[in-house]
Amino acid sequence: MLTYLAYGLAIVLNLFVVFIGARFLLVPRAAAAGYGVPAKQDGDPAYLTIKGLRDGTFGILGLALLALVGAQAEAWFMLVVAIVPIGDTLIVLRHGGSRATAFGIHFATAVVLLVSAALLFAV
């Protein structure tokens, strides 16, 4: 049962990150607003594309690790990747985003990634 939970959570998290990446590529301004720091109208859209590419790549890499290498490699990946939403929390707070978004979305994501890593290490 633990194996199904560990793998299932990892798959859902990776697919969600692929979705976020796709959203930044397809509707970057809406995605930026959902991130917690709306994009400026005259801002450079290349940075939003970079975020989309980064997130999509992380999601695909996570799925590949899980499928081709296994739970241990995916656990280390989740542990390391948890740095990203912690950084996102700080970015949102530093740039005037709401505390609810910073902690309710980004910090909570970091916690879920750490839980996922712990479950994967346990299997």
Side-chain angles (χ1 to χ4, degrees), residues 59-87:
I60 292 168
L61 176 59
L63 291 169
L65 284 171
L66 193 59
L68 302 173
V69 184
Q72 195 78 7
E74 180 72 8
W76 283 108
F77 174 74
M78 291 288 188
L79 191 62
V80 172
V81 169
I83 295 167
V84 173
I86 292 169

Side-chain angles (χ1 to χ4, degrees), residues 41-108:
Q41 203 57 28
D42 60 346
D44 189 347
Y47 291 107
L48 300 177
T49 304
I50 290 166
K51 174 146 174 49
L53 180 62
R54 176 195 78 172
D55 288 350
T57 300
F58 279 164
I60 292 168
L61 176 59
L63 291 169
L65 284 171
L66 193 59
L68 302 173
V69 184
Q72 195 78 7
E74 180 72 8
W76 283 108
F77 174 74
M78 291 288 188
L79 191 62
V80 172
V81 169
I83 295 167
V84 173
I86 292 169
D88 289 344
T89 301
L90 298 173
I91 290 167
V92 169
L93 292 172
R94 184 172 182 214
H95 293 278
S98 76
R99 293 174 63 83
T101 300
F103 291 105
I105 295 173
H106 300 294
F107 192 78

